[in-house]
Amino acid sequence: VDKFTPKKIKADLRKFLIPSTINSTLESPAIARVLEELQTVNYRKFPNISADALRSILEGVLKKYFDRIGNSVPKKKGVKFTYLQDVLSHAKKYFNDNNNQEMKQIIERIEVNKNFLEMINHNPSVFSTPDNTKDSWDIMQELFIFVFNDIEKINNKKNKL
């Protein structure tokens, strides 16, 4: 009987957080700029800057996506701003209502990580490591791909009319 020898798992030591193959279709200069920065900054050297930018682009991408599809995140009465939790709650309901369990579950996983991303942003005693930052992106990546692909499909339909 052959003895099973597991293959060594190669560490993912990519230098940049977001692959350059991921491109925004949201027609937003702000989102495009932050995405480009996250595709070129060495997140291993700058994990906190990268994590903070990742949290910001997550909120911006989802807000812009829902605006573009005509389902804007509602503002709470008496509140000036829409916060990340509002956006995530809206996204979870939207994906649930549209029977997209994959995206709904990704949103639920992001919600688990959201507190950590908020702490990095607001608590001077909390910081991110390269692995924390990489894990945060890895959780979000399929959501970004879905959003950008969905907007591209919508744009292609409009262009055919």
Side-chain angles (χ1 to χ4, degrees):
V1 178
D2 291 332
K3 186 177 174 184
F4 174 73
T5 308
K7 290 184 178 181
K8 288 187 178 179
I9 297 173
K10 291 183 181 177
D12 182 357
L13 297 176
R14 64 186 185 240
K15 186 175 182 181
F16 305 117
L17 189 62
I18 298 178
S20 60
T21 55
I22 295 178
N23 297 299
S24 175
T25 56
L26 290 169
E27 300 171 6
S28 166
I31 289 171
R33 286 176 181 222
V34 175
L35 186 63
E36 182 181 1
E37 288 175 21
L38 286 168
Q39 291 171 328
T40 57
V41 71
N42 183 337
Y43 79 96
R44 293 201 165 278
K45 190 173 182 180
F46 302 106
N48 292 288
I49 291 168
S50 300
D52 196 41
L54 190 57
R55 182 233 171 270
S56 295
I57 197 171
L58 169 66
E59 185 175 341
V61 161
L62 287 175
K63 283 179 182 177
K64 187 62 80 176
Y65 172 67
F66 288 115
D67 287 348
R68 290 273 193 265
I69 64 170
N71 188 0
S72 297
V73 179
K75 288 190 177 172
K76 290 183 178 176
K77 192 173 182 175
V79 179
K80 269 187 174 181
F81 304 103
T82 305
Y83 296 98
L84 180 57
Q85 184 56 57
D86 302 325
V87 176
L88 292 174
S89 295
H90 185 76
K92 186 163 62 172
K93 181 179 180 336
Y94 173 80
F95 290 127
N96 186 59
D97 291 349
N98 287 277
N99 296 315
N100 189 333
Q101 291 304 303
E102 181 184 6
M103 290 305 118
K104 178 184 166 246
Q105 289 173 352
I106 289 172
I107 294 294
E108 289 172 343
R109 181 60 184 89
I110 290 169
E111 285 179 319
V112 171
N113 196 47
K114 178 193 86 70
N115 289 336
F116 176 67
L117 293 172
E118 298 281 31
M119 285 185 265
I120 293 167
N121 191 276
H122 300 291
N123 186 333
S125 299
V126 176
F127 58 89
S128 188
T129 66
D131 285 341
N132 296 144
T133 302
K134 179 182 161 296
D135 289 348
S136 294
W137 167 250
D138 288 349
I139 291 165
M140 297 175 197
Q141 180 172 304
E142 290 304 316
L143 175 66
F144 278 64
I145 291 169
F146 172 84
V147 165
F148 296 155
N149 286 344
D150 197 41
I151 292 297
E152 186 173 39
K153 287 177 196 169
I154 291 168
N155 289 341
N156 287 340
K157 282 181 185 176
K158 285 181 183 177
N159 291 336
K160 286 182 181 179
L161 296 178

